[in-house]
């Protein structure tokens, strides 16, 4: 069975799986600036699809709400369109309904009109090096499990750490969507996966196809999708990396 993924920009992608339509971290603003408490972010590229073109979604998989490169102004407005919004416990308190909060390893099910269901498991994420939590706040990722295909892992904003390794121990994923880009805002350290982290993640999930998100479109991303292409090709497993063209629905066979 195939999954269709459409990259919209930055961390935002539409995942169509088993009759469900799921959207990761909504960002739909035009290019511009965002003043956060400790940093100013610049968005360089607008979305490859409009909100109206996306249409109805069954759920938003929101890794966290506190940073504009994962939930911008138009993205916040989009949350009201979703049947469900799955995010961190702290984020759900800030956002209010319809957001639902989940701690790592908590689960829920999405029920479809076709009688099928998808189990969603919240997974650990760490938005930078050890000790960053009081500054960066809570983040989660997601594993999507069904009876019809291998699990899909959406990492959310995280670096490689033992929490990601534990996801690999618990789930034999066929598809992994790491949030890469080597985001850097507070100092000479990364807040999301760089090329090394993404390679470690690919090694931890040896049977998975790797489709990176969160690689382009913002000024604080220090590495691009093409940096991942060069790195994976240099190590001899470039066939496991799939880069998506923004706005193009891409069928992924599993």
């Amino acid at each position: 069975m195939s999954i269709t993924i459409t990259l919209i920009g930055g961390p935002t992608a539409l995942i169509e799986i088993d009759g469900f339509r799921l959207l990761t971290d909504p960002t739909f603003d035009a290019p511009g600036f965002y003043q956060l408490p400790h940093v100013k972010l610049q968005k360089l590229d607008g979305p490859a699809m409009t909100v109206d073109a996306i249409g109805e979604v069954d759920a938003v998989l929101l890794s966290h709400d506190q940073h504009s490169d994962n939930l911008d102004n138009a993205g916040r407005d989009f949350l009201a369109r979703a049947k469900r919004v799955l995010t961190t416990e702290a984020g759900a308190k800030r956002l209010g309904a319809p957001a639902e909060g989940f701690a790592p390893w908590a689960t829920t099910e999405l029920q479809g009109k076709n009688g099928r269901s998808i189990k969603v498991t919240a997974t650990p994420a760490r938005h930078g090096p050890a000790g960053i939590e009081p500054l960066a706040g809570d983040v989660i990722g997601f594993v999507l499990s069904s009876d019809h295909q291998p699990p899909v892992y959406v990492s959310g904003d995280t670096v490689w750490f033992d929490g990601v390794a534990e996801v690999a121990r618990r789930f034999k994923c066929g598809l992994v969507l790491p949030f890469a880009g080597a985001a850097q805002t507070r100092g000479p350290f990364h807040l999301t996966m760089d090329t090394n982290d993404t390679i470690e993640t690919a090694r931890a999930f040896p049977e998975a196809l790797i489709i990176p998100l969160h690689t382009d479109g913002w000024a604080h991303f220090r590495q691009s999708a093409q940096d991942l292409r060069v790195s994976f090709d240099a190590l001899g497993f470039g066939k496991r990396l799939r880069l998506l063209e923004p706005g193009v629905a891409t069928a992924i066979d599993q």
Side-chain angles (χ1 to χ4, degrees), residues 135-211:
L135 294 175
D138 293 344
V139 182
I140 55 172
F142 304 91
V143 169
L144 313 175
S145 306
S146 78
D147 295 332
H148 306 282
Q149 53 207 358
V152 176
Y153 174 40
V154 180
S155 78
D157 270 14
T158 188
V159 294
W160 167 261
F161 77 117
D162 54 1
V164 177
E166 182 62 24
V167 177
R169 284 190 287 269
R170 296 190 185 202
F171 295 95
K172 190 176 181 180
C173 293
L175 177 61
V176 171
L177 283 68
F179 281 32
Q184 183 176 312
T185 61
R186 298 178 181 270
F189 52 81
H190 295 151
L191 304 175
T192 57
M193 292 191 187
D194 60 11
T195 53
N196 285 12
D197 286 348
T198 308
I199 289 164
E200 291 282 4
T201 301
R203 180 175 178 271
F205 294 90
E207 298 181 14
L209 180 67
I210 308 299
I211 299 182

Side-chain angles (χ1 to χ4, degrees), residues 195-196 199-200 228-238:
T195 53
N196 285 12
I199 289 164
E200 291 282 4
L228 288 170
R229 167 55 63 204
V230 171
S231 299
F232 272 65
D233 287 349
L235 292 173
F237 51 96

Side-chain angles (χ1 to χ4, degrees), residues 102-115:
F102 294 86
W105 309 122
T107 64
T108 188
E109 280 200 356
L110 303 177
Q111 300 291 335
K113 296 177 181 178
N114 57 6

Side-chain angles (χ1 to χ4, degrees), residues 6-26:
T6 307
L7 175 63
I8 295 164
T12 311
L14 179 64
I15 303 171
E16 297 176 86
I17 175 174
D18 246 10
F20 294 87
R21 307 180 82 244
L22 311 175
L23 190 78
T24 62
D25 291 9

